[in-house]
Amino acid sequence: MSIIQTKDLFKDYEVNKIVVNALRGVTIDFTQGEFTAIVGPSGSGKSTLLHLIGCLDKPTKGDVVVDGDSIANLSKNELAYLRREKIGFIFQAYNLIPVLTALENVSFPLTLLGHSPKKVRDLSYFALKEVGLEGMENRRPKELSGGQQQRIAIARALIKKPKLILADEPTANLDSKIGAEILELMLKLNQEEKTTFVFSTHDKMVMDYARRLIFIRDGKITEEQRK
Amino acid sequence: MKEKVKIDYFGLSLRNLGRHKVKTIITLIAVAVGVLAYVWMDAWLLGMNIDSKRNLINYETGSSKIYAKAYFNKKDELPMYESFTNYQDIIKKLNDNGFNASPNFVFGGSLLSPKQEVPFLFIGLDPELEKKTLSYYKFVKEGTFVEKGQFKILIGERGAENLGVKVGDSVRLSTVIDKKDENGKIKHINQLIELIVGGIVNSPNPKTNGNIGYLPLDILQDEMGLLLEGHIIQICIRKADVSESALPNNTESVLKVKQILGDTLRPELTIVDWATDAKDYIAASNGDNVSNRVMLIFLFIIVFMGIANTMLMAVIERTKEIGMLRSMGLLDHSVIILFLFEAGLIGFIGSLIGNIASIPLNYFMVTYGIDYSEMAKQMNGNFGYRITAIFRSAWNFHTMIASVIICTIVSAAMAFLPALKAVKMSVVETLRFE
Ligand SMILES: Nc1ncnc2c1ncn2[C@@H]1O[C@H](COP(=O)(O)OP(=O)(O)O)[C@@H](O)[C@H]1O
Ligand SMILES: [Mg+2]
């Protein structure tokens, strides 16, 4: 079943009167339970594509369809509500909130969904346990290693059981051993929870984990592989 | 769509304030010091204000006064020809209804000692009635209060210094008697009266201590005095059983006195309350308040600019975090509220600390005050306020509460533009921000 489709997606950025065509006609379809890597060199448009799929931004041309609904006519706030419910994000720089503890960071998306404090607490403990951070609940991000911080970010993306988790170069800041552990974790969650993952990378080792590979260059899809 | 989720803005703001503890503490101290200075000054001004009003009423005006209408309209010129007579029934009626009243004849002129001639204001009075109505007689430093039938004058301490005279010295009063003849024309008659200094007064109302002389009304009636023939300028009124430390209330209002007097208050007469009578002085003292306050408001502007700057730095520092919060679905207005809360909290905590710090200070100022008598002498009593000796503050709880509310709101408002900046960038841009 298709969760998200992009239809002939174009995205232009204008900086100092110079127009950059970051995406030039991208059409893809993601189905439930996929574990997909978007692969391409730096500047090829991976982040831009993930941002559009994640409803963080609107395309210059073309459309994104989430659960069968076009986002073209949604307002800023409506997009925010959509992200709140359906999409989880993992970033290269972890992007944790430094003043919150591990547990509070993980809780935040659930709080936004208006769950009861007790439910939020229980689910957050469980999510941290799932990513192997049991006992670290009250640590602040800066008291943890990069790998541990990315695990918190994964738990945070996962906790609301979103349709889709988008991970923009999730291992780029980690050494290859820790990076592999992070991918093992994502793969495990993909298999156990049937969570759909789409991640970007330009790392050969990371590509090996993917079940589906989409190659992108200069804002266009050049090749697709399924394993 | 309306946000239906409860976000813990308070907790988040508190955490965010903990990011740069030193900076937060410095900002809090700045707010606290500003508020402390303001509350302290306000209590001081209120204290002086109340005290000076008390001194005005108890030692100078009473709670209200009766004048001839024609006199009141140009009373700054001391038009002694606009006097009135047949006032005894007014005084009796007031006395019968629990009020004290004292008839005065007020006139200008000068007092001469062998060394000096000094312009003076003179008040002719009936000692018994005056003592019941006003209480500067309690502050006669040397000699005695005015006595009936005696050619003696009670003068203000500073006036005595200016003239270089002591109790028992001879002085000469020089004035011009202005009298209306049958045709309404004003006649001028020069008059000299030989007097002995009978006493020196120094009350907490500087006017009683200056170039002023009090003398018995009865010696002014014939050609030895001012040819008054029963005329007076004013009647000072005060309720008999009131406390001197309280300002007049409704029970001695002009309205009340008018009710009591009824027709006895003839149409050519008017009654005014103390505040109307001394309105120039009250306006002057309010003016002082404003300029002091304006100074402190500048201090606050600096403090609030500091808060705005701190919030701007915070927004820039947290650009990426804000991007993350927004990508998780936090609405833009929640981001704004978060920053408003944070700044508001600085204002709230800072002003609370300032107020708490003001309590012991003002407790001292209200209970003990500061003795200014020496300084007042050196400054020749020119404070603009009718107050000497001891300054005491007064609690002003309105100001204390208002300072917390206003500081909180204004601080929060200071974060508005920075917070707007936080959500003006698109989410994608904030995520890319380095
Ligand atoms: N917000 C932006 N403003 C201007 N140019 C941008 C912006 N985002 C991306 N780009 C440009 O679009 C192109 C694609 O960028 P990006 O999607 O970040 O590539 P990748 O993630 O594959 O490195 C690049 O040339 C980049 O400079
Ligand atoms: Mg990128």
Side-chain angles (χ1 to χ4, degrees), chain B residues 212-233:
Chain B
I212 193 162
Y214 302 91
L215 57 172
L217 194 55
D218 55 359
I219 64 162
L220 301 175
Q221 299 303 323
D222 54 21
E223 54 274 14
M224 292 282 282
L226 302 178
L227 309 160
L228 294 184
E229 296 164 329
H231 281 253
I232 58 164
I233 296 289

Side-chain angles (χ1 to χ4, degrees), chain A residues 42-43 45-48 51 92 168-169 200, chain B residues 432:
Chain A
S42 184
K46 303 185 294 296
S47 295
T48 305
H51 291 158
Q92 176 181 338
D168 195 359
E169 307 207 32
S200 68
Chain B
R432 293 175 68 93

Side-chain angles (χ1 to χ4, degrees), chain A residues 96-114:
Chain A
L96 300 175
I97 309 303
V99 293
L100 299 181
T101 63
L103 193 76
E104 290 163 340
N105 265 288
V106 172
S107 304
F108 197 83
L110 281 189
T111 312
L112 281 184
L113 287 173

Side-chain angles (χ1 to χ4, degrees), chain B residues 243-258:
Chain B
S243 146
E244 276 191 14
S245 56
L247 296 181
N249 58 22
N250 289 340
T251 64
E252 48 183 333
S253 67
V254 164
L255 209 68
K256 186 82 194 168
V257 177
K258 269 186 184 155

